[in-house]
Amino acid sequence: VIGMPENTFASEVTQEDANYISPNTESQQISQFFGANKQPKRSGDNYVGLATVVGGDTDFIDAAIISKVKVLNLDSSKSISVRPSAVFSNGDLDLRITATIDLSRINRDLGELNGRVTPYGGGGVAIDSDGDADLMLTAGMDVRLTPRITGTAAANVLFLGDTEFDATLGVGYNF
């Protein structure tokens, strides 16, 4: 056995000795902590795209750059994602950064949509062009249309001075 004195027989090795000489024990724990044993990436776990934002208090229809990055698998059906976006409204730019819990497996028969629908909900911060930051809530659904394209729809509540409601409809390119 590697690391043991020459006169020691393998049958004399205790569990404590085995833990000491095992070269992978600590590295396995570290790799598990940092996600080396995570589930395989699915198409639609991450995307960047374009959207239209309907509602709000300045313009009725705005343009947006949207994205989603999965950061953590909680289990086989739930994950946490970050969804940053930039909304262009009447010459102003609003940045939105939300964290969501995504439900990738729904216990319903959705026919052809089974495995392609991911509802989500969460909250974050909305920063307007004046630098004011306030809380926001979001809930929506991603639908994987093809292996490379995801459609998304969300309802948002923003607390920027006054309460605003809007809906985001967009498409993203999966990576």
Side-chain angles (χ1 to χ4, degrees):
V1 177
I2 300 172
M4 296 299 294
E6 287 182 40
N7 297 337
T8 304
F9 295 102
S11 61
E12 296 175 7
V13 176
T14 65
Q15 182 60 42
E16 183 179 3
D17 293 329
N19 289 341
Y20 173 75
I21 61 173
S22 174
N24 293 327
T25 303
E26 188 173 336
S27 64
Q28 284 175 341
Q29 291 171 350
I30 292 171
S31 67
Q32 287 172 356
F33 178 78
F34 286 105
N37 293 336
K38 64 183 179 182
Q39 298 170 351
K41 185 172 125 10
R42 286 183 333 135
S43 175
D45 282 349
N46 305 302
Y47 62 76
V48 63
L50 299 173
T52 185
V53 179
V54 180
D57 69 347
T58 55
D59 285 341
F60 185 70
I61 298 178
D62 301 319
I65 297 173
I66 58 172
S67 62
K68 171 191 161 195
V69 178
K70 182 191 281 189
V71 293
L72 180 66
N73 282 322
L74 299 175
D75 61 28
S76 64
S77 65
K78 292 184 226 66
S79 61
I80 295 178
S81 296
V82 175
R83 296 171 182 266
S85 63
V87 178
F88 304 95
S89 173
N90 204 20
D92 292 329
L93 173 67
D94 293 344
L95 299 177
R96 300 177 180 184
I97 304 169
T98 59
T100 60
I101 295 179
D102 306 341
L103 305 173
S104 59
R105 291 191 185 163
I106 307 167
N107 292 330
R108 300 276 186 259
D109 183 14
L110 300 175
E112 291 183 20
L113 293 177
N114 275 347
R116 298 188 315 153
V117 174
T118 305
Y120 61 86
V125 63
I127 305 168
D128 66 14
S129 57
D130 296 328
D132 296 329
D134 284 306
L135 296 177
M136 72 174 285
L137 300 174
T138 188
M141 185 173 302
D142 291 336
V143 178
R144 189 170 26 91
L145 302 173
T146 71
R148 287 287 176 208
I149 303 294
T150 293
T152 186
N156 305 302
V157 180
L158 294 87
F159 304 100
L160 291 169
D162 57 345
T163 304
E164 292 180 30
F165 299 93
D166 66 38
T168 304
L169 301 169
V171 292
Y173 178 77
N174 302 331
F175 61 92

